[in-house]
Amino acid sequence: MKIKYLIACLCCLIPGVAKAELQIDVSGAVRDPMPIAIPAMIHQGFWVGQYASKIRDVVIADLERSGLFRVIDENSYIQQFSSMSEEPNFIDWTAINALALVQSSVSEVDAKNLRVEFRLWDVYAETQLKGQSFTTSKDNWRRMAHVIADAIYERLTGEKGYFDTRIVYVSESGPATRRVKRLAIMDQDGENHKFLTSGATMALTPRFSPNLQKITYMSYSGNTPKVYILDIESGQQQLLGQFPGMTFAPRFSPDSNKVLLSFASGGKTNIYEMDLKKRTSKQLTYGSNIDTSPSYSPDGSQIVFNSDRQGNQQLYVMNADGSDVHRISHGAGRYATPVWSPRGDYIAFTKMANGQFYIGVMYPDGSGERLLASGYLVEAPTWSPNGRVLMFFRQDKGTSRSNAPVKLYSVDLTGYNERLVVTPGEGSDPAWSPLLP
């Protein structure tokens, strides 16, 4: 990345040399975030100014949390904008070493709506890279900030952003002997938090449907743990299938029409596929072993899962109809909770080896294993929709395992940018939504 920045600078100094496009290479480790300037949003009036300040703060927080951007301290800014028609004085921005500049404004359309506009500038090339304007309700200001951050991220990295998304997870509270675990949902930055279940019965392993309409999860409602589907808008819950035993580890198909789950009965656990439209089930694995934690490939043609069929818990891939089962993990230790990247290029997993837990990734054929995070207990990776960031939960070692807090974290594919994800209480089992429509 340093080389790209240097080329961009040199091309501005040498007459007749074409200026390189300003872009962050996210394929490798980014040690030096891109310096970007984000001046105060242009606005008129005190109350509109409140929205201007809040929107800017969220955009900055999103970009900095990615680890790819460093927002330059506004106290060093030389130019102050008073109108969107005012073009940047690029010498002022190169003087503070800004490579990119975001010029923005917010104005009141009427009592309920705002108009937000932004322009993204390449400082050294002195060109506009992107410009957009939006009209949105005042109540929707936070989401608009995430949309702007996504647009900046995409233009400067060449990849979709992941800020306008939601997280469903298990909110945990209470002592170990009376632990309350209920479903909660929030924006990816921890805001707009609300509970989806009451906590009267334990809920685990929530998973979004790709169309964002439903969540599937395991509940201890009744005498036997079973998989349920929850409609996010209506709050209506329904049992998934009529299995005469324990069902768990659910996950939707890419088209949201099917759900994979594990069914335990008679000392064995096998993977089933439930057709939500036909309300029929199909058994995909057979045997006396434990097959669980299935996850579809993005195109729905394959399924990765973990199994102890060869004595030790390892990862396997099979066709979506259950054929051609083959092992892909071969490292020391045990592997669990695999999940296919939305891009299809990696499979994330939890690994247990040498008394430690790890979050790692490997290629779908099992090669290229890399460990990104470790700890006393780290588990349950989930992918951002652009396939560049993972979220998981961690529990550090306390005086006893049961009294240490459980928290959510994110880490990018390089393993260098690990961040705490703030939640009102303790949290585990996160699931990341696709980009909101």
Side-chain angles (χ1 to χ4, degrees):
M1 192 179 74
K2 288 181 180 178
I3 294 175
K4 285 198 173 188
Y5 289 170
L6 182 59
I7 291 173
C9 296
L10 289 176
C11 286
C12 292
L13 299 175
I14 303 174
V17 176
K19 298 172 182 177
E21 180 178 328
L22 181 63
Q23 190 173 71
I24 298 174
D25 182 0
V26 295
S27 62
V30 178
R31 301 293 187 92
D32 300 314
M34 175 185 285
I36 183 172
I38 306 181
M41 299 186 78
I42 301 163
H43 67 276
Q44 296 291 329
F46 175 79
W47 292 112
V48 176
Q50 299 298 301
Y51 289 105
S53 178
K54 293 188 293 186
I55 292 171
R56 177 178 179 268
D57 286 347
V58 171
V59 171
I60 290 174
D62 281 347
L63 295 176
E64 289 190 331
R65 194 165 50 252
S66 74
L68 301 177
F69 303 91
R70 176 179 62 83
V71 178
I72 299 170
D73 186 348
E74 62 182 312
N75 291 323
S76 66
Y77 298 174
I78 301 169
Q79 182 181 18
Q80 302 296 325
F81 293 104
S82 59
S83 167
M84 288 299 289
S85 62
E86 182 182 357
E87 290 206 358
N89 184 351
F90 293 106
I91 294 177
D92 288 347
W93 299 105
T94 56
I96 62 171
N97 298 316
L99 293 182
L101 167 67
V102 179
Q103 181 184 12
S104 60
S105 70
V106 59
S107 58
E108 192 174 49
V109 176
D110 52 40
K112 293 184 179 180
N113 298 294
L114 297 171
R115 184 177 187 273
V116 180
E117 182 179 359
F118 83 94
R119 294 178 185 175
L120 175 64
W121 298 89
D122 181 334
V123 172
Y124 284 91
E126 300 185 3
T127 57
Q128 181 177 309
L129 298 176
K130 191 173 184 68
Q132 281 185 280
S133 62
F134 313 88
T135 298
T136 184
S137 69
K138 292 178 179 178
D139 292 340
N140 204 37
W141 69 267
R142 178 174 286 278
R143 186 175 175 198
M144 185 53 53
H146 293 316
V147 170
I148 293 171
D150 277 332
I152 295 169
Y153 180 101
E154 181 175 359
R155 186 61 184 85
L156 292 177
T157 68
E159 302 199 354
K160 290 285 187 182
Y162 56 90
F163 306 119
D164 187 26
T165 55
R166 307 177 84 185
I167 304 294
V168 63
Y169 74 102
V170 176
S171 175
E172 300 194 23
S173 60
T177 55
R178 298 188 305 276
R179 199 69 167 162
V180 176
K181 297 187 177 185
R182 55 179 172 166
L183 300 189
I185 193 169
M186 62 185 183
D187 295 348
Q188 56 80 27
D189 60 358
E191 298 294 332
N192 292 326
H193 187 278
K194 71 174 184 177
F195 294 107
L196 296 176
T197 58
S198 67
T201 58
M202 186 180 296
L204 297 173
T205 61
R207 303 289 181 257
F208 275 105
S209 64
N211 64 14
L212 295 170
Q213 296 175 355
K214 301 179 186 299
I215 292 169
T216 184
Y217 66 102
M218 186 186 79
S219 173
Y220 279 75
S221 178
N223 297 324
T224 305
K226 288 185 179 293
V227 170
Y228 289 80
I229 289 183
L230 175 72
D231 186 285
I232 298 175
E233 292 301 321
S234 69
Q236 183 178 357
Q237 175 184 282
Q238 62 175 324
L239 178 66
L240 184 62
Q242 296 297 326
F243 295 91
M246 177 179 177
T247 54
F248 57 99
R251 194 175 294 272
F252 280 98
S253 62
D255 62 7
S256 301
N257 292 328
K258 299 175 182 178
V259 170
L260 291 172
L261 54 82
S262 293
F263 171 44
S265 178
K268 55 187 178 181
T269 301
N270 283 295
I271 295 171
Y272 284 70
E273 182 181 70
M274 186 79 186
D275 190 307
L276 300 180
K277 291 185 175 180
K278 298 177 181 178
R279 312 305 296 180
T280 57
S281 63
K282 176 183 178 182
Q283 186 172 351
L284 299 180
T285 66
Y286 297 83
S288 58
N289 37 271
I290 298 175
D291 297 336
T292 188
S293 300
S295 172
Y296 287 99
S297 61
D299 63 2
S301 66
Q302 293 182 293
I303 295 168
V304 62
F305 64 100
N306 62 258
S307 174
D308 64 352
R309 60 182 56 202
Q310 293 183 0
N312 194 17
Q313 195 173 350
Q314 299 290 332
L315 303 186
Y316 294 80
V317 168
M318 63 182 174
N319 293 332
D321 62 2
S323 64
D324 189 26
V325 179
H326 57 281
R327 178 174 165 179
I328 63 168
S329 62
H330 297 281
R334 296 180 292 126
Y335 295 78
T337 66
V339 55
W340 223 300
S341 162
R343 300 164 60 97
D345 52 352
Y346 286 106
I347 291 171
F349 56 85
T350 300
K351 182 175 182 176
M352 297 141 279
N354 302 317
Q356 283 274 99
F357 279 71
Y358 303 88
I359 299 296
V361 294
M362 64 175 64
Y363 295 122
D365 63 1
S367 63
E369 179 178 324
R370 291 187 292 118
L371 302 179
L372 306 179
S374 63
Y376 178 70
L377 175 63
V378 292
E379 199 170 357
T382 180
W383 289 97
S384 65
N386 69 353
R388 288 300 178 190
V389 182
L390 287 163
M391 194 174 291
F392 60 96
F393 75 88
R394 167 181 279 124
Q395 186 177 41
D396 294 325
K397 188 174 183 180
T399 54
S400 68
R401 176 166 168 171
S402 62
N403 69 5
V406 184
K407 300 179 181 180
L408 302 185
Y409 287 82
S410 66
V411 65
D412 66 8
L413 272 179
T414 69
Y416 290 108
N417 184 37
E418 184 177 300
R419 306 271 176 147
L420 173 67
V421 179
V422 178
T423 55
E426 297 182 43
S428 62
D429 278 337
W432 213 319
S433 80
L435 280 171
L436 299 179

